[in-house]
Amino acid sequence: MSRTASRSGERGALGVFDSGIGGLTVVRHLRRLLPGKAIVYFGDSARVPYGTKSDSTVRRFADEAVSFLTQFDVGRVVVACNTVSAVAMRSLAKRFPALPIEGVIEPGAEAAVRATRAGRIGVIGTRGTIASGAYERAIQAAAKRAGVRTRVFTQACPLLVPLAEEGLENSAAARAMLRHYLEPLQRKKIDTLILGCTHYPPFRRSLAKILGPRVRLIDSGEATARRLARALGGEARSGRGSLRCYVSDIPLQFEAIGKRFLGQRLGRARLVAQDDLPWFERRPGRDR
Ligand code: DGL
């Protein structure tokens, strides 16, 4: 396996992991804010979506993905996927105690607490992310640290992921779905909305149109990249880094859709053989 050298002060490349293509919306900001960093990305395109799966399944997939990334001498891993960040951070920290691993929930929550004026924060995400309650907990913790009061209102938006992948984020169908999903949050008079899913930044323009200028939009991926850029800084802030992508299925599809999410040309994505994931050798679990 090739080794990727980083030009930042920190040893090793930055590993980025997502359930599929969506994490490229996070890489977009990482590349902008840490252009000197070497990034190794893994998208689990064979098993996406994670947002509809059980917590224990997502944890197992996350374990396998981070194990895969450790082959590349990564000095740190960013979990770009909100669903994984919502349910698997503790199990990942236990499994990889020597590797700094950060998710997108806390940075998104902190940015929202900084942005809100009335303390009424909405969160949209996958079913898994919303059911986990992770954003509520992170927002309440950030609000406590900041000494402010907040109320959190959440809404799962499962149909937005396929709409974004199909490039339909500005379509009439997307606007109808957004109105449907946002209506309960608008009734709660939110003044800040966290885009708690890798696939939601493409809807930013439509969201702003529906919600109006009074509601601030927080992109958790961007907040994560900003926090990392502050923490790493140094040489990684300039220079020419690299992006190498691995996927578990159909690299061509990843390349075609990924270009839109990344906002620039995407090099060749490499296919990871799946014979290292022997699900059929696992004992039947008790989870329902
Ligand atoms: N990457 C996922 C997230 O941010 C969205 C796609 C999926 O459901 O796997 O939650």
Side-chain angles (χ1 to χ4, degrees):
M1 224 27 105
S2 76
R3 297 278 183 260
T4 324
S6 166
R7 299 188 64 235
S8 78
E10 186 177 71
R11 215 191 104 260
L14 182 62
V16 179
F17 154 54
D18 181 52
S19 55
I21 291 168
L24 291 174
T25 60
V26 183
V27 172
R28 183 184 192 133
H29 295 293
L30 289 169
R31 297 277 285 157
R32 182 171 58 82
L33 297 168
L34 292 166
K37 201 75 184 151
I39 296 176
V40 182
Y41 182 95
F42 174 64
D44 194 4
S45 46
R47 302 189 289 195
V48 69
Y50 282 15
T52 53
K53 297 193 169 68
S54 70
D55 294 0
S56 57
T57 294
V58 172
R59 284 189 199 111
R60 178 161 63 81
F61 292 172
D63 246 42
E64 290 168 351
V66 175
S67 295
F68 172 74
L69 284 172
T70 58
Q71 297 173 78
F72 296 92
D73 191 25
V74 293
R76 177 183 295 268
V77 167
V78 170
V79 175
C81 180
N82 286 255
T83 307
V84 174
S85 301
V87 303
M89 295 314 291
R90 211 178 299 163
S91 58
L92 285 175
K94 238 193 217 162
R95 174 84 203 282
F96 305 93
L99 183 65
I101 305 179
E102 33 234 313
V104 290
I105 306 267
E106 251 189 48
E110 274 184 3
V113 167
R114 274 198 304 274
T116 187
R117 282 152 298 187
R120 301 180 78 82
I121 300 175
V123 182
I124 52 176
T126 65
R127 284 197 201 288
T129 298
I130 297 306
S132 74
Y135 268 110
E136 281 106 313
R137 287 193 295 278
I139 291 166
Q140 299 306 0
K144 198 167 166 198
R145 283 196 297 276
V148 297
R149 285 163 71 95
T150 52
R151 290 198 62 191
V152 185
F153 307 95
T154 62
Q155 176 70 45
C157 306
L159 288 174
L160 298 190
V161 167
L163 282 169
E165 295 210 355
E166 293 301 321
L168 294 173
E169 59 271 15
N170 294 313
S171 64
R175 281 193 296 278
M177 284 324 304
L178 287 174
R179 271 190 220 101
H180 168 77
Y181 287 139
L182 294 173
E183 200 258 337
L185 298 177
Q186 288 179 296
R187 265 194 280 120
K188 297 292 181 189
K189 300 205 179 323
I190 58 163
D191 75 345
T192 302
L193 179 70
I194 297 181
L195 315 189
C197 175
T198 50
H199 285 64
Y200 298 171
F203 295 97
R204 222 187 154 105
R205 216 168 39 159
S206 300
L207 283 166
K209 236 184 224 165
I210 294 170
L211 293 170
R214 215 185 51 82
V215 177
R216 295 188 171 179
L217 302 179
I218 303 294
D219 174 346
S220 284
E222 182 174 9
T224 304
R226 278 185 197 286
R227 184 198 266 199
L228 206 59
R230 273 197 303 275
L232 298 185
E235 283 179 53
R237 291 236 178 118
S238 60
R240 288 190 55 175
S242 57
L243 172 62
R244 178 185 281 252
C245 295
Y246 292 85
V247 292
S248 50
D249 207 2
I250 321 186
L252 275 179
Q253 194 169 305
F254 180 88
E255 289 163 15
I257 301 174
K259 231 178 357 197
R260 274 193 284 115
F261 283 26
L262 186 64
Q264 56 179 257
R265 231 178 60 78
L266 183 66
R268 201 167 61 82
R270 295 156 173 84
L271 182 66
V272 183
Q274 286 173 68
D275 46 12
D276 58 338
L277 309 174
W279 61 269
F280 47 84
E281 284 178 9
R282 294 173 205 279
R283 291 221 317 265
R286 284 189 303 275
D287 290 326
R288 290 169 4 109

